[in-house]
């Protein structure tokens, strides 16, 4: 079994944003996401790997492979082309929660937005709270 490369570490979240976010808009949006995700989770921001900011964590074991490890409950990354928001379960039955979100693209369990003003942040907060509750129930996180 290969070891996960993306792990929680002690790198400075704010220094990462200042160095990595390629526009002032992404920096500003990143600071807003930190406030919102801290409020929703009650957890401080932590770096995961070299480019993900995560909040809280859970331990998973894949049913399809022998892979297991820790991962943030929710998080984001200010990537070059968009903000990657790790705030969605990816489950088909949760798709309806995205209806009123606004302008975004969706990956399997990730949402991509160009800027926060493209989406309804109230809906984003609701989605995050649902995801946090789901992850806590599913993985027994306190």
């Amino acid at each position: 079994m290969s070891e996960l490369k993306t792990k929680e570490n002690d790198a400075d979240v704010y220094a990462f944003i200042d160095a990595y976010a390629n526009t002032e808009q992404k920096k500003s949006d990143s600071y807003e996401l930190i406030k919102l995700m801290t409020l929703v989770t009650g957890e401080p921001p932590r770096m995961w790997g070299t480019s993900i900011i995560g909040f809280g964590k859970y331990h998973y074991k894949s049913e399809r492979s022998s892979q297991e490890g820790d991962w943030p409950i929710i998080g984001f990354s200010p990537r070059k082309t968009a903000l990657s928001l790790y705030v969605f379960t990816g489950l088909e039955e949760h798709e309806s929660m995205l209806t009123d979100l606004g302008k975004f693209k969706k990956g399997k369990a990730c949402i991509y937005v160009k800027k926060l003003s493209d989406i309804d942040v109230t809906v984003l907060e609701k989605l995050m709270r649902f995801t946090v509750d789901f992850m806590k129930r599913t993985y027994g996180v306190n």
Side-chain angles (χ1 to χ4, degrees):
M1 175 176 78
S2 64
E3 189 173 330
L4 280 176
K5 294 178 185 173
T6 304
K7 294 183 177 181
E8 184 179 21
N9 62 69
D10 291 326
D12 186 308
V13 168
Y14 299 96
F16 162 72
I17 290 170
D18 289 339
Y20 192 78
N22 60 348
T23 66
E24 287 304 314
Q25 181 68 53
K26 273 213 188 90
K27 286 180 187 180
S28 174
D29 286 350
S30 294
Y31 296 134
E32 286 303 311
L33 284 167
I34 286 174
K35 288 178 195 172
L36 184 58
M37 290 184 177
T38 299
L39 175 71
V40 168
T41 64
E43 298 285 343
R46 300 273 300 165
M47 288 301 301
W48 286 76
T50 59
S51 63
I52 295 174
I53 300 168
F55 298 79
K57 69 179 170 183
Y58 69 98
H59 188 81
Y60 71 91
K61 291 182 183 183
S62 173
E63 294 176 8
R64 289 174 272 166
S65 71
S66 59
Q67 185 152 8
E68 69 176 282
D70 293 328
W71 198 252
I73 295 174
I74 61 173
F76 75 97
S77 183
R79 307 248 187 234
K80 189 174 188 176
T81 58
L83 292 164
S84 297
L85 306 178
Y86 306 102
V87 298
F88 181 60
T89 64
L91 297 174
E92 205 172 292
E93 59 265 31
H94 301 154
E95 289 285 329
S96 64
M97 297 189 74
L98 300 174
T99 305
D100 298 322
L101 185 58
K103 186 177 174 184
F104 69 94
K105 291 184 179 180
K106 185 177 72 71
K108 185 173 180 178
C110 181
I111 296 168
Y112 304 100
V113 299
K114 294 281 185 191
K115 54 189 185 276
L116 281 182
S117 60
D118 286 344
I119 60 173
D120 184 331
V121 178
T122 305
V123 174
L124 176 63
E125 181 178 351
K126 181 179 176 183
L127 178 63
M128 287 192 288
R129 289 187 185 283
F130 181 87
T131 298
V132 168
D133 290 344
F134 173 81
M135 299 304 280
K136 287 181 175 183
R137 281 192 320 273
T138 304
Y139 293 98
V141 178
N142 295 327

